[in-house]
Amino acid sequence: MTKQLKIDFVSDVSCPWCIIGLKSLETALGRLEGDVSADLHFQPFELNPQMAPEGQNIVEHIGEKYGSTPEQSAQTRAMIRERAAGVGFEMRTSEQSRIYNTFDAHRLLHWAGLEGKQAELKHALFTAYFTDGAVMSDQATLADIAGKVGLNKEKAREILSNDTYAEDVRALEQFYQQQGINSVPAIIINDKYLISGGQPVDVFERALKQIATEPRDVA
C-alpha cells in the first residue's frame, strides 16, 4: 500500500541548493514509487527581500553578504554546477550573473498552486533563472514563463500588475520564519519532520522510507 506524505518545500527560486534539493527529492520519490507518494506544496522564502528590481552582480552580492572573494565565489559556483549536474540540472551561472528580487515569482507560484500548476512553474522558474539567465524581477518575463507551462499569460500579467496574492505570500513567509526556518531549502514532511539543505538523493530516500513507516498523527 502506498503511503502518502505531505511535503512542504520551503524555498526561493534564486537559491541553487533549492533546485538541487528538489531534484534529489524527486529522484528519491521516483525510487520509492509504489511505496511512497507525495502531496507536494511549494512555500515561499525570500533570500533577498530588500533587493532592488535591477538586482546585483552575484560576485559582488556574495562578497558583501558572506565575505567571499571572487576566487572563492567561482569555486563555489563550480561545485554547485557539479552537484546540479549530478541530479540532472544544468546550472549556467557565471561571474556575470545577477541576484534578483523574487517576490513577484512567489506571487505567481501561489496562484499556480491554486491552478494545479505549481510544480511545473517552479521547475520552469528554476530553469529560466539558473540555465537561461532570465531576469527574475521582470514581470513580462515571469508572465511568459507562466504561459509556457499552461497558465493563462494574460491572467499572469494582471496578477503581477497589482498586489494580488501579496498578503497571502507575506503571511506564509512569516509563518515559516516563525517556525524557525531561516535558510532554504527546508523540506517539512507531515508537518513534523525537517530535512534541511540540498541533500543527496540517498539521504532523502532513507528519510522518506523511515517517515513512511511511522504512524501519522490524527488531529
Side-chain angles (χ1 to χ4, degrees):
M1 181 177 177
T2 303
K3 182 70 172 288
Q4 186 175 71
L5 303 177
K6 176 178 181 284
I7 302 179
D8 289 294
F9 194 96
V10 187
S11 61
D12 196 353
V13 295
S14 66
C15 162
W17 291 108
C18 292
I19 180 56
I20 291 170
L22 176 59
K23 296 286 284 186
S24 293
L25 172 64
E26 290 175 337
T27 301
L29 286 166
R31 290 181 181 178
L32 297 171
E33 186 176 1
D35 296 318
V36 175
S37 66
D39 177 22
L40 180 60
H41 304 270
F42 293 99
Q43 307 294 358
F45 186 98
E46 290 178 83
L47 288 170
N48 302 286
Q50 306 306 320
M51 183 63 68
E54 68 272 16
Q56 183 181 20
N57 174 268
I58 189 170
V59 178
E60 178 183 306
H61 176 76
I62 296 299
E64 290 179 2
K65 191 170 184 177
Y66 302 108
S68 300
T69 66
E71 293 75 20
Q72 290 170 329
S73 185
Q75 290 170 359
T76 298
R77 287 196 307 277
M79 181 266 291
I80 288 173
R81 279 197 300 272
E82 183 176 348
R83 281 291 307 277
V87 291
F89 185 83
E90 185 177 8
M91 186 82 60
R92 292 184 187 167
T93 50
S94 71
E95 69 277 2
Q96 301 302 320
S97 298
R98 298 183 72 79
I99 304 291
Y100 296 103
N101 185 293
T102 57
F103 186 66
D104 281 343
H106 286 298
R107 290 200 293 129
L108 276 191
L109 281 163
H110 185 85
W111 168 57
L114 301 176
E115 297 291 322
K117 289 281 189 179
Q118 197 179 45
E120 292 90 340
L121 182 59
K122 187 74 166 182
H123 275 284
L125 289 168
F126 276 135
T127 299
Y129 178 58
F130 287 113
T131 306
D132 301 333
V135 178
M136 299 308 287
S137 58
D138 182 75
Q139 294 186 347
T141 296
L142 293 174
D144 285 343
I145 296 168
K148 288 176 181 177
V149 300
L151 289 162
N152 186 300
K153 182 177 175 180
E154 293 310 312
K155 179 65 175 177
R157 287 180 179 275
E158 180 184 341
I159 289 168
L160 293 169
S161 70
N162 53 52
D163 291 332
T164 303
Y165 303 123
E167 290 186 7
D168 303 84
V169 171
R170 293 293 187 211
L172 285 166
E173 288 178 332
Q174 291 171 10
F175 172 79
Y176 286 103
Q177 289 169 4
Q178 289 166 359
Q179 299 304 304
I181 303 302
N182 51 36
S183 63
V184 288
I187 300 91
I188 304 166
I189 305 175
N190 288 346
D191 300 315
K192 182 178 181 181
Y193 304 96
L194 173 65
I195 303 173
S196 298
Q199 300 292 339
V201 176
D202 290 347
V203 172
F204 280 111
E205 184 178 3
R206 287 195 299 270
L208 294 171
K209 287 173 69 174
Q210 175 64 33
I211 294 168
T213 64
E214 299 186 3
R216 188 78 183 268
D217 293 338
V218 178

mmCIF file of all heavy atoms in Angstrom, residues 111-157:
data_model
loop_
_atom_site.group_PDB
_atom_site.id
_atom_site.type_symbol
_atom_site.label_atom_id
_atom_site.label_comp_id
_atom_site.label_asym_id
_atom_site.label_seq_id
_atom_site.Cartn_x
_atom_site.Cartn_y
_atom_site.Cartn_z
ATOM 1 N N TRP A 111 -0.432 31.534 -7.033
ATOM 2 C CA TRP A 111 -1.542 31.398 -7.985
ATOM 3 C C TRP A 111 -1.474 30.056 -8.709
ATOM 4 O O TRP A 111 -2.492 29.364 -8.864
ATOM 5 C CB TRP A 111 -1.486 32.557 -8.979
ATOM 6 C CG TRP A 111 -2.383 32.407 -10.167
ATOM 7 C CD1 TRP A 111 -3.743 32.216 -10.174
ATOM 8 C CD2 TRP A 111 -1.992 32.447 -11.545
ATOM 9 N NE1 TRP A 111 -4.214 32.140 -11.463
ATOM 10 C CE2 TRP A 111 -3.164 32.277 -12.320
ATOM 11 C CE3 TRP A 111 -0.768 32.629 -12.190
ATOM 12 C CZ2 TRP A 111 -3.131 32.280 -13.715
ATOM 13 C CZ3 TRP A 111 -0.738 32.628 -13.575
ATOM 14 C CH2 TRP A 111 -1.914 32.448 -14.318
ATOM 15 N N ALA A 112 -0.274 29.666 -9.123
ATOM 16 C CA ALA A 112 -0.108 28.399 -9.830
ATOM 17 C C ALA A 112 -0.543 27.218 -8.970
ATOM 18 O O ALA A 112 -1.076 26.227 -9.478
ATOM 19 C CB ALA A 112 1.349 28.221 -10.258
ATOM 20 N N GLY A 113 -0.344 27.335 -7.646
ATOM 21 C CA GLY A 113 -0.810 26.290 -6.748
ATOM 22 C C GLY A 113 -2.318 26.158 -6.773
ATOM 23 O O GLY A 113 -2.862 25.045 -6.740
ATOM 24 N N LEU A 114 -3.006 27.266 -6.871
ATOM 25 C CA LEU A 114 -4.473 27.249 -6.948
ATOM 26 C C LEU A 114 -4.945 26.678 -8.279
ATOM 27 O O LEU A 114 -6.048 26.130 -8.363
ATOM 28 C CB LEU A 114 -5.013 28.673 -6.772
ATOM 29 C CG LEU A 114 -4.649 29.386 -5.463
ATOM 30 C CD1 LEU A 114 -5.172 30.814 -5.488
ATOM 31 C CD2 LEU A 114 -5.186 28.634 -4.258
ATOM 32 N N GLU A 115 -4.095 26.789 -9.297
ATOM 33 C CA GLU A 115 -4.448 26.331 -10.644
ATOM 34 C C GLU A 115 -3.934 24.913 -10.923
ATOM 35 O O GLU A 115 -4.125 24.401 -12.037
ATOM 36 C CB GLU A 115 -3.861 27.294 -11.686
ATOM 37 C CG GLU A 115 -4.405 28.705 -11.614
ATOM 38 C CD GLU A 115 -5.861 28.794 -12.045
ATOM 39 O OE1 GLU A 115 -6.237 28.085 -12.996
ATOM 40 O OE2 GLU A 115 -6.624 29.560 -11.421
ATOM 41 N N GLY A 116 -3.272 24.299 -9.955
ATOM 42 C CA GLY A 116 -2.758 22.951 -10.153
ATOM 43 C C GLY A 116 -1.525 22.869 -11.029
ATOM 44 O O GLY A 116 -1.219 21.826 -11.607
ATOM 45 N N LYS A 117 -0.778 23.990 -11.123
ATOM 46 C CA LYS A 117 0.400 24.034 -11.987
ATOM 47 C C LYS A 117 1.647 24.485 -11.233
ATOM 48 O O LYS A 117 2.612 24.972 -11.840
ATOM 49 C CB LYS A 117 0.149 25.005 -13.156
ATOM 50 C CG LYS A 117 -0.850 24.532 -14.188
ATOM 51 C CD LYS A 117 -0.206 23.527 -15.131
ATOM 52 C CE LYS A 117 -1.113 23.189 -16.303
ATOM 53 N NZ LYS A 117 -0.448 22.226 -17.222
ATOM 54 N N GLN A 118 1.653 24.307 -9.923
ATOM 55 C CA GLN A 118 2.744 24.874 -9.135
ATOM 56 C C GLN A 118 4.087 24.206 -9.421
ATOM 57 O O GLN A 118 5.114 24.878 -9.571
ATOM 58 C CB GLN A 118 2.420 24.787 -7.642
ATOM 59 C CG GLN A 118 3.292 25.697 -6.789
ATOM 60 C CD GLN A 118 2.940 25.610 -5.326
ATOM 61 O OE1 GLN A 118 2.749 24.529 -4.783
ATOM 62 N NE2 GLN A 118 2.852 26.758 -4.664
ATOM 63 N N ALA A 119 4.108 22.882 -9.476
ATOM 64 C CA ALA A 119 5.376 22.186 -9.723
ATOM 65 C C ALA A 119 5.946 22.542 -11.086
ATOM 66 O O ALA A 119 7.156 22.767 -11.232
ATOM 67 C CB ALA A 119 5.173 20.679 -9.607
ATOM 68 N N GLU A 120 5.076 22.607 -12.093
ATOM 69 C CA GLU A 120 5.535 22.954 -13.432
ATOM 70 C C GLU A 120 6.145 24.360 -13.457
ATOM 71 O O GLU A 120 7.199 24.573 -14.075
ATOM 72 C CB GLU A 120 4.373 22.891 -14.423
ATOM 73 C CG GLU A 120 3.844 21.481 -14.669
ATOM 74 C CD GLU A 120 2.733 21.081 -13.702
ATOM 75 O OE1 GLU A 120 2.617 21.710 -12.628
ATOM 76 O OE2 GLU A 120 1.993 20.143 -14.037
ATOM 77 N N LEU A 121 5.485 25.306 -12.793
ATOM 78 C CA LEU A 121 6.004 26.671 -12.784
ATOM 79 C C LEU A 121 7.294 26.759 -11.986
ATOM 80 O O LEU A 121 8.233 27.458 -12.383
ATOM 81 C CB LEU A 121 4.962 27.636 -12.217
ATOM 82 C CG LEU A 121 5.384 29.115 -12.195
ATOM 83 C CD1 LEU A 121 5.706 29.612 -13.605
ATOM 84 C CD2 LEU A 121 4.306 29.977 -11.556
ATOM 85 N N LYS A 122 7.372 26.040 -10.875
ATOM 86 C CA LYS A 122 8.584 26.071 -10.053
ATOM 87 C C LYS A 122 9.784 25.612 -10.867
ATOM 88 O O LYS A 122 10.831 26.269 -10.890
ATOM 89 C CB LYS A 122 8.389 25.167 -8.833
ATOM 90 C CG LYS A 122 9.536 25.256 -7.820
ATOM 91 C CD LYS A 122 9.493 26.543 -7.043
ATOM 92 C CE LYS A 122 10.400 26.476 -5.824
ATOM 93 N NZ LYS A 122 10.341 27.724 -5.028
ATOM 94 N N HIS A 123 9.643 24.503 -11.556
ATOM 95 C CA HIS A 123 10.741 23.999 -12.381
ATOM 96 C C HIS A 123 11.080 24.978 -13.495
ATOM 97 O O HIS A 123 12.264 25.208 -13.801
ATOM 98 C CB HIS A 123 10.371 22.642 -12.966
ATOM 99 C CG HIS A 123 10.651 21.492 -12.051
ATOM 100 N ND1 HIS A 123 11.916 20.996 -11.838
ATOM 101 C CD2 HIS A 123 9.820 20.745 -11.272
ATOM 102 C CE1 HIS A 123 11.864 19.982 -10.986
ATOM 103 N NE2 HIS A 123 10.606 19.819 -10.621
ATOM 104 N N ALA A 124 10.063 25.552 -14.114
ATOM 105 C CA ALA A 124 10.299 26.489 -15.209
ATOM 106 C C ALA A 124 11.031 27.739 -14.734
ATOM 107 O O ALA A 124 11.900 28.271 -15.446
ATOM 108 C CB ALA A 124 8.974 26.873 -15.862
ATOM 109 N N LEU A 125 10.722 28.204 -13.541
ATOM 110 C CA LEU A 125 11.400 29.377 -12.992
ATOM 111 C C LEU A 125 12.857 29.067 -12.668
ATOM 112 O O LEU A 125 13.754 29.881 -12.933
ATOM 113 C CB LEU A 125 10.665 29.864 -11.732
ATOM 114 C CG LEU A 125 9.306 30.518 -11.975
ATOM 115 C CD1 LEU A 125 8.546 30.678 -10.658
ATOM 116 C CD2 LEU A 125 9.460 31.873 -12.660
ATOM 117 N N PHE A 126 13.108 27.896 -12.097
ATOM 118 C CA PHE A 126 14.492 27.498 -11.820
ATOM 119 C C PHE A 126 15.303 27.442 -13.114
ATOM 120 O O PHE A 126 16.427 27.945 -13.179
ATOM 121 C CB PHE A 126 14.526 26.116 -11.146
ATOM 122 C CG PHE A 126 14.325 26.136 -9.661
ATOM 123 C CD1 PHE A 126 13.459 25.231 -9.058
ATOM 124 C CD2 PHE A 126 15.018 27.022 -8.851
ATOM 125 C CE1 PHE A 126 13.287 25.218 -7.677
ATOM 126 C CE2 PHE A 126 14.853 27.021 -7.470
ATOM 127 C CZ PHE A 126 13.982 26.115 -6.883
ATOM 128 N N THR A 127 14.733 26.826 -14.148
ATOM 129 C CA THR A 127 15.436 26.712 -15.421
ATOM 130 C C THR A 127 15.657 28.085 -16.050
ATOM 131 O O THR A 127 16.750 28.380 -16.571
ATOM 132 C CB THR A 127 14.650 25.811 -16.391
ATOM 133 O OG1 THR A 127 14.544 24.506 -15.827
ATOM 134 C CG2 THR A 127 15.352 25.714 -17.740
ATOM 135 N N ALA A 128 14.632 28.918 -16.011
ATOM 136 C CA ALA A 128 14.747 30.259 -16.593
ATOM 137 C C ALA A 128 15.876 31.045 -15.938
ATOM 138 O O ALA A 128 16.662 31.722 -16.622
ATOM 139 C CB ALA A 128 13.425 31.004 -16.451
ATOM 140 N N TYR A 129 15.981 30.942 -14.618
ATOM 141 C CA TYR A 129 16.987 31.731 -13.906
ATOM 142 C C TYR A 129 18.380 31.118 -14.008
ATOM 143 O O TYR A 129 19.332 31.755 -14.464
ATOM 144 C CB TYR A 129 16.585 31.893 -12.444
ATOM 145 C CG TYR A 129 17.605 32.667 -11.634
ATOM 146 C CD1 TYR A 129 17.974 33.961 -12.003
ATOM 147 C CD2 TYR A 129 18.210 32.106 -10.515
ATOM 148 C CE1 TYR A 129 18.921 34.673 -11.281
ATOM 149 C CE2 TYR A 129 19.145 32.804 -9.780
ATOM 150 C CZ TYR A 129 19.501 34.087 -10.166
ATOM 151 O OH TYR A 129 20.434 34.787 -9.460
ATOM 152 N N PHE A 130 18.511 29.861 -13.596
ATOM 153 C CA PHE A 130 19.834 29.268 -13.480
ATOM 154 C C PHE A 130 20.416 28.777 -14.800
ATOM 155 O O PHE A 130 21.629 28.733 -14.964
ATOM 156 C CB PHE A 130 19.804 28.109 -12.474
ATOM 157 C CG PHE A 130 19.679 28.551 -11.047
ATOM 158 C CD1 PHE A 130 18.541 28.266 -10.324
ATOM 159 C CD2 PHE A 130 20.695 29.265 -10.432
ATOM 160 C CE1 PHE A 130 18.417 28.671 -9.003
ATOM 161 C CE2 PHE A 130 20.588 29.681 -9.122
ATOM 162 C CZ PHE A 130 19.444 29.389 -8.396
ATOM 163 N N THR A 131 19.574 28.371 -15.735
ATOM 164 C CA THR A 131 20.064 27.855 -17.010
ATOM 165 C C THR A 131 20.053 28.928 -18.090
ATOM 166 O O THR A 131 21.015 29.063 -18.853
ATOM 167 C CB THR A 131 19.230 26.643 -17.469
ATOM 168 O OG1 THR A 131 19.196 25.660 -16.422
ATOM 169 C CG2 THR A 131 19.835 26.009 -18.707
ATOM 170 N N ASP A 132 18.972 29.704 -18.143
ATOM 171 C CA ASP A 132 18.806 30.671 -19.226
ATOM 172 C C ASP A 132 19.174 32.106 -18.850
ATOM 173 O O ASP A 132 19.216 32.980 -19.722
ATOM 174 C CB ASP A 132 17.355 30.641 -19.726
ATOM 175 C CG ASP A 132 16.948 29.261 -20.221
ATOM 176 O OD1 ASP A 132 17.839 28.501 -20.664
ATOM 177 O OD2 ASP A 132 15.751 28.937 -20.158
ATOM 178 N N GLY A 133 19.416 32.375 -17.563
ATOM 179 C CA GLY A 133 19.827 33.709 -17.139
ATOM 180 C C GLY A 133 18.735 34.756 -17.188
ATOM 181 O O GLY A 133 19.009 35.946 -17.388
ATOM 182 N N ALA A 134 17.478 34.336 -17.013
ATOM 183 C CA ALA A 134 16.354 35.274 -17.070
ATOM 184 C C ALA A 134 16.389 36.260 -15.906
ATOM 185 O O ALA A 134 16.895 35.961 -14.818
ATOM 186 C CB ALA A 134 15.038 34.502 -17.054
ATOM 187 N N VAL A 135 15.830 37.436 -16.154
ATOM 188 C CA VAL A 135 15.712 38.476 -15.116
ATOM 189 C C VAL A 135 14.463 38.168 -14.306
ATOM 190 O O VAL A 135 13.329 38.384 -14.769
ATOM 191 C CB VAL A 135 15.633 39.878 -15.748
ATOM 192 C CG1 VAL A 135 15.471 40.939 -14.654
ATOM 193 C CG2 VAL A 135 16.882 40.149 -16.585
ATOM 194 N N MET A 136 14.637 37.689 -13.093
ATOM 195 C CA MET A 136 13.521 37.178 -12.309
ATOM 196 C C MET A 136 12.655 38.258 -11.673
ATOM 197 O O MET A 136 11.635 37.949 -11.052
ATOM 198 C CB MET A 136 14.028 36.213 -11.242
ATOM 199 C CG MET A 136 14.735 34.997 -11.813
ATOM 200 S SD MET A 136 13.758 34.144 -13.070
ATOM 201 C CE MET A 136 12.528 33.373 -12.044
ATOM 202 N N SER A 137 13.039 39.501 -11.807
ATOM 203 C CA SER A 137 12.201 40.592 -11.310
ATOM 204 C C SER A 137 11.398 41.248 -12.436
ATOM 205 O O SER A 137 10.621 42.173 -12.178
ATOM 206 C CB SER A 137 13.073 41.645 -10.617
ATOM 207 O OG SER A 137 14.051 42.149 -11.512
ATOM 208 N N ASP A 138 11.579 40.774 -13.664
ATOM 209 C CA ASP A 138 10.891 41.359 -14.808
ATOM 210 C C ASP A 138 9.519 40.708 -14.972
ATOM 211 O O ASP A 138 9.413 39.502 -15.219
ATOM 212 C CB ASP A 138 11.723 41.163 -16.078
ATOM 213 C CG ASP A 138 11.077 41.808 -17.291
ATOM 214 O OD1 ASP A 138 11.130 43.044 -17.391
ATOM 215 O OD2 ASP A 138 10.484 41.067 -18.095
ATOM 216 N N GLN A 139 8.476 41.495 -14.862
ATOM 217 C CA GLN A 139 7.123 40.944 -14.865
ATOM 218 C C GLN A 139 6.740 40.334 -16.213
ATOM 219 O O GLN A 139 6.047 39.317 -16.252
ATOM 220 C CB GLN A 139 6.123 42.019 -14.442
ATOM 221 C CG GLN A 139 6.301 42.451 -12.992
ATOM 222 C CD GLN A 139 5.233 43.414 -12.519
ATOM 223 O OE1 GLN A 139 4.469 43.963 -13.304
ATOM 224 N NE2 GLN A 139 5.174 43.619 -11.208
ATOM 225 N N ALA A 140 7.173 40.918 -17.300
ATOM 226 C CA ALA A 140 6.862 40.355 -18.614
ATOM 227 C C ALA A 140 7.511 38.981 -18.772
ATOM 228 O O ALA A 140 6.904 38.047 -19.311
ATOM 229 C CB ALA A 140 7.330 41.301 -19.717
ATOM 230 N N THR A 141 8.731 38.862 -18.292
ATOM 231 C CA THR A 141 9.437 37.579 -18.340
ATOM 232 C C THR A 141 8.696 36.535 -17.518
ATOM 233 O O THR A 141 8.501 35.390 -17.960
ATOM 234 C CB THR A 141 10.874 37.729 -17.820
ATOM 235 O OG1 THR A 141 11.600 38.609 -18.686
ATOM 236 C CG2 THR A 141 11.596 36.394 -17.747
ATOM 237 N N LEU A 142 8.281 36.906 -16.330
ATOM 238 C CA LEU A 142 7.560 35.971 -15.458
ATOM 239 C C LEU A 142 6.248 35.535 -16.087
ATOM 240 O O LEU A 142 5.879 34.353 -16.029
ATOM 241 C CB LEU A 142 7.299 36.622 -14.101
ATOM 242 C CG LEU A 142 8.537 36.901 -13.239
ATOM 243 C CD1 LEU A 142 8.143 37.682 -11.983
ATOM 244 C CD2 LEU A 142 9.243 35.610 -12.843
ATOM 245 N N ALA A 143 5.540 36.467 -16.704
ATOM 246 C CA ALA A 143 4.273 36.121 -17.355
ATOM 247 C C ALA A 143 4.509 35.166 -18.525
ATOM 248 O O ALA A 143 3.733 34.232 -18.749
ATOM 249 C CB ALA A 143 3.570 37.384 -17.834
ATOM 250 N N ASP A 144 5.589 35.381 -19.271
ATOM 251 C CA ASP A 144 5.927 34.482 -20.375
ATOM 252 C C ASP A 144 6.193 33.073 -19.867
ATOM 253 O O ASP A 144 5.749 32.085 -20.469
ATOM 254 C CB ASP A 144 7.163 34.990 -21.119
ATOM 255 C CG ASP A 144 6.875 36.192 -22.008
ATOM 256 O OD1 ASP A 144 5.685 36.435 -22.303
ATOM 257 O OD2 ASP A 144 7.834 36.880 -22.402
ATOM 258 N N ILE A 145 6.922 32.964 -18.766
ATOM 259 C CA ILE A 145 7.241 31.650 -18.189
ATOM 260 C C ILE A 145 5.949 30.964 -17.748
ATOM 261 O O ILE A 145 5.768 29.762 -17.978
ATOM 262 C CB ILE A 145 8.213 31.803 -17.004
ATOM 263 C CG1 ILE A 145 9.554 32.366 -17.485
ATOM 264 C CG2 ILE A 145 8.428 30.463 -16.304
ATOM 265 C CD1 ILE A 145 10.473 32.816 -16.365
ATOM 266 N N ALA A 146 5.053 31.730 -17.134
ATOM 267 C CA ALA A 146 3.772 31.160 -16.706
ATOM 268 C C ALA A 146 3.001 30.621 -17.910
ATOM 269 O O ALA A 146 2.428 29.531 -17.869
ATOM 270 C CB ALA A 146 2.946 32.212 -15.973
ATOM 271 N N GLY A 147 3.000 31.377 -18.993
ATOM 272 C CA GLY A 147 2.291 30.948 -20.194
ATOM 273 C C GLY A 147 2.860 29.671 -20.774
ATOM 274 O O GLY A 147 2.122 28.815 -21.287
ATOM 275 N N LYS A 148 4.171 29.493 -20.672
ATOM 276 C CA LYS A 148 4.825 28.317 -21.248
ATOM 277 C C LYS A 148 4.470 27.021 -20.510
ATOM 278 O O LYS A 148 4.642 25.941 -21.073
ATOM 279 C CB LYS A 148 6.335 28.518 -21.259
ATOM 280 C CG LYS A 148 6.796 29.541 -22.290
ATOM 281 C CD LYS A 148 8.292 29.784 -22.205
ATOM 282 C CE LYS A 148 8.736 30.835 -23.220
ATOM 283 N NZ LYS A 148 10.179 31.154 -23.122
ATOM 284 N N VAL A 149 4.010 27.133 -19.267
ATOM 285 C CA VAL A 149 3.644 25.911 -18.530
ATOM 286 C C VAL A 149 2.133 25.689 -18.512
ATOM 287 O O VAL A 149 1.632 24.854 -17.765
ATOM 288 C CB VAL A 149 4.208 25.915 -17.091
ATOM 289 C CG1 VAL A 149 5.717 26.000 -17.107
ATOM 290 C CG2 VAL A 149 3.601 27.040 -16.250
ATOM 291 N N GLY A 150 1.420 26.438 -19.346
ATOM 292 C CA GLY A 150 -0.010 26.218 -19.483
ATOM 293 C C GLY A 150 -0.902 27.105 -18.646
ATOM 294 O O GLY A 150 -2.129 26.931 -18.628
ATOM 295 N N LEU A 151 -0.314 28.074 -17.958
ATOM 296 C CA LEU A 151 -1.111 29.053 -17.225
ATOM 297 C C LEU A 151 -1.517 30.180 -18.177
ATOM 298 O O LEU A 151 -0.885 30.387 -19.219
ATOM 299 C CB LEU A 151 -0.303 29.610 -16.055
ATOM 300 C CG LEU A 151 -0.063 28.628 -14.908
ATOM 301 C CD1 LEU A 151 1.092 29.093 -14.027
ATOM 302 C CD2 LEU A 151 -1.330 28.459 -14.062
ATOM 303 N N ASN A 152 -2.559 30.893 -17.817
ATOM 304 C CA ASN A 152 -3.044 31.976 -18.658
ATOM 305 C C ASN A 152 -2.086 33.166 -18.552
ATOM 306 O O ASN A 152 -1.969 33.785 -17.498
ATOM 307 C CB ASN A 152 -4.455 32.377 -18.216
ATOM 308 C CG ASN A 152 -5.084 33.396 -19.138
ATOM 309 O OD1 ASN A 152 -4.558 34.496 -19.324
ATOM 310 N ND2 ASN A 152 -6.216 33.043 -19.711
ATOM 311 N N LYS A 153 -1.425 33.468 -19.660
ATOM 312 C CA LYS A 153 -0.411 34.519 -19.660
ATOM 313 C C LYS A 153 -0.993 35.879 -19.331
ATOM 314 O O LYS A 153 -0.393 36.664 -18.575
ATOM 315 C CB LYS A 153 0.287 34.556 -21.021
ATOM 316 C CG LYS A 153 1.389 35.573 -21.130
ATOM 317 C CD LYS A 153 2.073 35.472 -22.493
ATOM 318 C CE LYS A 153 3.097 36.560 -22.686
ATOM 319 N NZ LYS A 153 3.763 36.440 -24.019
ATOM 320 N N GLU A 154 -2.164 36.190 -19.861
ATOM 321 C CA GLU A 154 -2.771 37.493 -19.591
ATOM 322 C C GLU A 154 -3.207 37.603 -18.134
ATOM 323 O O GLU A 154 -3.110 38.674 -17.523
ATOM 324 C CB GLU A 154 -3.962 37.722 -20.532
ATOM 325 C CG GLU A 154 -3.556 37.873 -21.987
ATOM 326 C CD GLU A 154 -2.440 38.892 -22.174
ATOM 327 O OE1 GLU A 154 -2.553 40.004 -21.616
ATOM 328 O OE2 GLU A 154 -1.460 38.575 -22.859
ATOM 329 N N LYS A 155 -3.686 36.490 -17.576
ATOM 330 C CA LYS A 155 -4.035 36.487 -16.156
ATOM 331 C C LYS A 155 -2.786 36.696 -15.312
ATOM 332 O O LYS A 155 -2.816 37.416 -14.303
ATOM 333 C CB LYS A 155 -4.709 35.163 -15.789
ATOM 334 C CG LYS A 155 -5.092 35.044 -14.322
ATOM 335 C CD LYS A 155 -6.150 36.052 -13.919
ATOM 336 C CE LYS A 155 -6.598 35.833 -12.480
ATOM 337 N NZ LYS A 155 -7.588 36.841 -12.039
ATOM 338 N N ALA A 156 -1.677 36.085 -15.719
ATOM 339 C CA ALA A 156 -0.419 36.276 -15.005
ATOM 340 C C ALA A 156 -0.003 37.748 -15.034
ATOM 341 O O ALA A 156 0.427 38.309 -14.015
ATOM 342 C CB ALA A 156 0.672 35.409 -15.620
ATOM 343 N N ARG A 157 -0.129 38.374 -16.195
ATOM 344 C CA ARG A 157 0.200 39.801 -16.312
ATOM 345 C C ARG A 157 -0.675 40.642 -15.383
ATOM 346 O O ARG A 157 -0.193 41.576 -14.733
ATOM 347 C CB ARG A 157 0.004 40.273 -17.752
ATOM 348 C CG ARG A 157 1.056 39.802 -18.736
ATOM 349 C CD ARG A 157 0.744 40.344 -20.130
ATOM 350 N NE ARG A 157 1.722 39.952 -21.116
ATOM 351 C CZ ARG A 157 2.861 40.586 -21.353
ATOM 352 N NH1 ARG A 157 3.149 41.679 -20.651
ATOM 353 N NH2 ARG A 157 3.695 40.171 -22.284
#
